[in-house]
Amino acid sequence: MRQAPAAPKAASGRHDREIFALALPAFGALVAEPLFVMADSAIVGHLGTPQLAGLGIAAALLTTAVSLFVFLAYATTSAVARRVGAGDLPAAIRQGMDGIWLALLLGAAVIAVVLPAAPSLVSFFGASDTVAPYAITYLRISALGIPAMLVVLAAIGVIRGLQDTRTPLYVAIGGFTLNAALNLALVYGAGLGIAGSAWGTVIAQCAMAAAYLTVVVRGARRHGASLRPDAAGIRACAQAGVPLLVRTLSLRAILLIATAVAARLGDADIAAHQILLSLWTLLAFALDAIAIAGQAIIGRYLGAGDTEGAKAACRRMVQWGIVSGIVLGLLVIAARPVFVPLFTSDPAVEDALLPALLVAAACQPVCGIVFILDGVLMGAGDGRYLAWAMLLTLAVFAPAALLVPALGGGLTALWCAMALMMLVRMVTLQLRTRSGRWLIAGATR
């Protein structure tokens, strides 16, 4: 009788090992991704201010374009993990190939739009006559790598769905190293300037895509899965991705509204907002790593028909999300004296930043719950609910944020609106997970 509690403890230990075996490598891969732009910025920055400004505009456009298709990773992870749980590896890889073919089609469509529209897109950002040529050059060359970037997203989804987050970490490290070396060689060694930086990034992205495709193709041949495009499968992948695209667009709208409001508050406020947003993104990587593990684990449990295992894993991940959020919030508060001077020495920016930073720190436990439950529902393939929940969140956040300057509020008030946004997300996600309606078992949803 006294040994009865050992079962839950053993189950928690098993879940912990499973979560961290996937989450830790995922965190490394997530951190490696923004290093591409940082390396490009560091190398191009020595060419001159106009070149660096051009890179900044082009990189913002490229990041936005690629981030809209992040559903290629999320939807593929869920679908592949379900089939892994059901014990059907050939179907899992076949599902992944459908996602990769969709990525190629979308990539070709984006190139067809970006190449002729590059001058208009750069002009929309208000680039000066000095900066615009560099931005257009970088954008047009880098756009050629978009199909490879999207293939990387889809292939990452396949490999995560196969319960492997180590391979994306290794490929990300290799891609970053190759990108930095090529940028140095082409920008300075070959004297190509900003065009060399763009070509270096394109080559690195293509190399990463080739590495992922090698892994996926080997798996397909090992398990006898077809590599040919299947119209019905590609169409199903696209349909599964639409709700997640709506979710992503809503989230991007929230961030754009927040930045637009901060810009209205004054120069010091927008500068402080950008610093805080960069920190927010960094903290999100840590929490998102557990969410990525959740996508793979929940999909596998549901594919195996183990709804109780899925619920237990969800509970354990939420616990870790809360703990991680508390730790991150305390670290932000403790590191304030070190963190703030790294970004600014302007007293006005510091005055705007410090109280808003406390709001962001206090919000981290809520963020922990939100990120985890987001990953859980993605793993369950519950994209339609996520889309509606994010639209509702946008509907609540937009008026709250827009009222900040009208009521004479400052950056702290804006970040209180951001905290409200996260609370709305937490409530909608908790209502869904507690309802149990996401617990649909089987190889397909």
Side-chain angles (χ1 to χ4, degrees), residues 8-34:
K9 186 176 180 179
S12 296
R14 185 181 74 252
H15 288 311
D16 289 347
R17 289 190 295 273
E18 201 170 36
I19 292 165
F20 287 103
L22 292 173
L24 292 177
F27 175 69
L30 287 169
V31 171
E33 290 175 13

Side-chain angles (χ1 to χ4, degrees), residues 141-195:
I141 296 172
S142 294
L144 300 176
I146 286 178
M149 295 180 197
L150 300 189
V151 166
V152 165
L153 285 177
I156 285 175
V158 179
I159 293 170
R160 286 175 180 168
L162 294 171
Q163 316 296 297
D164 175 12
T165 55
R166 290 179 180 270
T167 297
L169 172 61
Y170 301 147
V171 175
I173 292 172
F176 168 73
T177 304
L178 178 62
N179 178 66
L182 286 171
N183 269 257
L184 286 170
L186 296 175
V187 171
Y188 298 110
L192 296 179
I194 194 169

Side-chain angles (χ1 to χ4, degrees), residues 113-306:
V113 171
V114 170
L115 289 183
S120 299
L121 292 170
V122 170
S123 176
F124 178 77
F125 269 72
S128 67
D129 293 339
T130 306
V131 170
Y134 296 112
I136 293 169
T137 296
Y138 191 93
L139 181 59
R140 279 181 165 160
I141 296 172
S142 294
L144 300 176
I146 286 178
M149 295 180 197
L150 300 189
V151 166
V152 165
L153 285 177
I156 285 175
V158 179
I159 293 170
R160 286 175 180 168
L162 294 171
Q163 316 296 297
D164 175 12
T165 55
R166 290 179 180 270
T167 297
L169 172 61
Y170 301 147
V171 175
I173 292 172
F176 168 73
T177 304
L178 178 62
N179 178 66
L182 286 171
N183 269 257
L184 286 170
L186 296 175
V187 171
Y188 298 110
L192 296 179
I194 194 169
S197 176
W199 280 117
T201 300
V202 169
I203 295 169
Q205 290 288 353
C206 288
M208 291 174 67
Y212 281 122
L213 287 175
T214 299
V215 174
V216 175
V217 169
R218 283 178 180 172
R221 289 175 176 170
R222 188 183 309 121
H223 296 287
S226 173
L227 297 174
R228 294 180 180 179
D230 176 67
I234 293 171
R235 188 164 53 251
C237 285
Q239 290 172 346
V242 169
L244 294 179
L245 176 61
V246 172
R247 169 197 169 275
T248 301
L249 286 170
S250 301
L251 183 56
R252 296 294 299 183
I254 287 170
L255 296 176
L256 286 172
I257 289 170
T259 300
V261 170
R264 293 183 185 180
L265 298 176
D267 292 346
D269 291 281
I270 184 61
H273 177 74
Q274 290 304 318
I275 294 170
L276 193 47
L277 205 57
S278 66
L279 175 63
W280 183 273
T281 303
L282 179 63
L283 297 174
F285 285 146
L287 299 172
D288 209 26
I290 305 177
I292 286 170
Q295 292 173 31
I297 292 169
I298 295 299
R300 194 192 73 231
Y301 271 120
L302 293 179
D306 187 358

Side-chain angles (χ1 to χ4, degrees), residues 296-320:
I297 292 169
I298 295 299
R300 194 192 73 231
Y301 271 120
L302 293 179
D306 187 358
T307 56
E308 290 302 316
K311 286 195 290 186
C314 174
R315 285 194 298 270
R316 192 59 178 170
M317 282 185 282
V318 168
Q319 290 169 1
W320 276 113

